[in-house]
Amino acid sequence: MASSRLPLTDEERRHRIGVRHHLAPTARAGTVEQVAASLTALHGTDPATVHLAAGARLADPAGPVAAMERALYEDRTLIRMHGMRHTVFVVPAALAPVVQSSTTHAVAARERALFVKQLKAGSALDEAWLADVEKSTLDALARRGEATAAELAQDEPRLREQFTYAPGTGYEQRQTVSSRVLRLLGTEARVVRGRPLGSWTSSQFRWAIAPALPDLPPAEARATLTRAWLASHGPATEADLKWWTGWKVTDVRQALRDVDAVPVALDDGTTGHVLPDDTAPTDPPAPWAALLPALDPTPMGWRDRDWYLPPAHRALLFDRSGNIGPTVWWNGRVIGGWAQRPDGEPVWRLLDPDPGREALTAIETEAARLHTWLGPTRVTPRFRTPLERELSA
């Protein structure tokens, strides 16, 4: 019996990437806020990814750094926070309470319980001690405005206390509580990362008191996040949404019902989902190339990736933990990877057979555009992959 589901092809999915993810030149974004909103969230585990991901999508050839720093640290139109899969993301300010209520509150509860358990197992410290240190730390941070962990430890010396992590196991080690306390406060949306120490590529941040976020009903927040994500990533499977959010499968299915998601037939025989008003085909964009950074939200947007990333390429483009490195794209497919020479110049290798002169010219144009705003700045991905290591040597 023929399926009653509307078919939605891989070619259509690739058209959507080019347009909705602002990768086709005619679809470039005007602001970093537009980039973040159109992708739902930008991966922020590697601080440089946020800037490189925006730079690949902005029409402004001057690059994203000044605009991104303004949005993150002055206007606060974008928020760096713990989110899906206990990963740091940069999200539009309006979406921050949605992410917190749908996802991060549950993560924070587990994180607090685990930390208290570890403190008790590895020291004489307990939850009452932790609560008192947290209050004192927040008071100190409010007085300072912004501060590093080391500066806060000057005001609250108990942040230098240590506990034994995993006592009696092969992982046993002494750890200082400061980083865990600040991470827990960040997960609970009580503090937020401020400006980095050093340049925009630095992974060491100052901390600031977080703006208050309204509490939303978790189911309502999950539906809102699902609606935003399907608008940027649909069609997507139930497994894709579960992987991206880290939610339980029952919560995933309920969120899809709550947004009246429409099932569609994908080319691999699985069922995808789109929003009710999102079944029409996308006008194909002009041919496009892109150089996307490690952990970019497009290649990290779905669990099932065969429709844009050939399985044969994965050994060179991913690390052992499943983190993707820098990728070269042509018309919605990953066809290679890139890195930087010691002088900062982008260099790439194609893993597909020769894609043709048009593709090569477009890749060269994108590499030159990237080099123009990066200049001599050299970015080393936090999670390095085999091809990136080889090309950057």
Side-chain angles (χ1 to χ4, degrees):
M1 181 180 296
S3 172
S4 60
R5 295 171 298 163
L6 179 75
L8 207 153
T9 66
D10 290 349
E11 183 179 22
E12 166 64 18
R13 300 178 82 180
R14 290 189 285 268
H15 291 337
R16 292 182 175 210
I17 284 180
V19 174
R20 299 184 185 189
H21 290 200
H22 301 298
L23 294 172
T26 55
R28 294 258 163 83
T31 67
V32 294
E33 289 90 348
Q34 185 183 359
V35 171
S38 296
L39 289 158
T40 306
L42 305 176
H43 272 265
T45 305
D46 188 334
T49 294
V50 175
H51 298 271
L52 291 165
R57 296 167 167 88
L58 285 175
D60 186 352
V65 175
M68 184 63 71
E69 291 186 334
R70 170 195 52 74
L72 283 169
Y73 311 126
E74 297 173 19
D75 299 344
R76 296 286 186 186
T77 50
L78 298 177
I79 304 294
R80 192 188 302 268
M81 65 182 296
H82 283 274
M84 292 61 69
R85 307 188 308 281
H86 207 344
T87 298
V88 176
F89 285 87
V90 168
V91 304
L95 203 62
V98 172
V99 172
Q100 188 70 31
S101 296
S102 69
T103 307
T104 317
H105 276 330
V107 171
R110 293 193 296 269
E111 177 71 14
R112 177 168 291 279
L114 176 61
F115 187 30
V116 169
K117 180 180 178 181
Q118 292 171 341
L119 282 178
K120 290 180 174 180
S123 71
L125 311 177
D126 59 16
E127 56 263 56
W129 179 92
L130 177 59
D132 195 52
V133 171
E134 288 174 331
K135 181 180 183 305
S136 177
T137 299
L138 291 169
D139 289 343
L141 189 54
R143 289 191 299 270
R144 285 181 175 267
E146 279 195 351
T148 64
E151 290 168 341
L152 289 170
Q154 294 173 7
D155 299 338
E156 174 43 271
R158 289 178 293 178
L159 287 172
R160 301 192 185 101
E161 289 279 356
Q162 293 189 330
F163 69 102
T164 301
Y165 173 80
T169 73
Y171 300 101
E172 180 176 325
Q173 59 178 293
R174 296 290 286 172
Q175 290 188 359
T176 303
V177 302
S178 59
S179 62
R180 291 289 297 274
V181 169
L182 289 167
R183 186 175 75 180
L184 178 57
L185 291 173
T187 305
E188 292 179 341
R190 293 198 279 171
V191 301
V192 65
R193 287 166 174 80
R195 288 187 180 275
L197 296 176
S199 76
W200 57 272
T201 64
S202 173
S203 59
Q204 292 185 304
F205 290 90
R206 297 174 178 88
W207 294 90
I209 297 295
L213 298 179
D215 274 333
L216 304 174
E220 175 187 316
R222 285 191 291 269
T224 301
L225 186 59
T226 297
R227 191 175 293 108
W229 185 78
L230 281 180
S232 59
H233 290 77
T237 66
E238 181 182 290
D240 290 328
L241 180 58
K242 182 181 184 302
W243 175 83
W244 190 81
T245 59
W247 298 339
K248 296 182 295 185
V249 66
T250 52
D251 290 335
V252 168
R253 290 172 178 170
Q254 184 60 53
L256 289 170
R257 287 193 293 268
D258 288 344
V259 301
D260 297 321
V262 175
V264 294
L266 303 179
D267 279 357
D268 64 0
T270 61
T271 298
H273 300 273
V274 296
L275 294 175
D277 59 354
D278 193 27
T279 59
T282 303
D283 290 336
W288 59 272
L291 272 63
L292 300 185
L295 295 177
D296 184 88
T298 295
M300 292 294 287
W302 297 267
R303 191 200 72 167
D304 299 319
R305 301 168 175 142
D306 290 359
W307 57 277
Y308 64 88
L309 201 165
H313 296 352
R314 294 182 186 179
L316 289 173
L317 295 176
F318 285 83
D319 72 2
R320 293 180 180 178
S321 298
N323 299 302
I324 197 166
T327 50
V328 176
W329 291 66
W330 175 241
N331 287 338
R333 292 185 176 90
V334 175
I335 65 169
W338 67 275
Q340 286 178 281
R341 301 184 193 276
D343 64 359
E345 182 183 4
V347 59
W348 62 91
R349 179 186 300 167
L350 302 186
L351 301 176
D352 273 9
D354 182 3
R357 172 45 55 187
E358 184 180 25
L360 296 176
T361 299
I363 292 166
E364 290 168 359
T365 298
E366 288 305 301
R369 193 168 76 95
L370 173 64
H371 198 199
T372 295
W373 72 261
L374 268 182
T377 301
R378 191 161 186 258
V379 178
T380 301
R382 181 173 178 179
F383 304 107
R384 305 195 69 185
T385 51
L387 184 57
E388 185 275 329
R389 286 182 181 275
E390 183 180 341
L391 291 174
S392 63

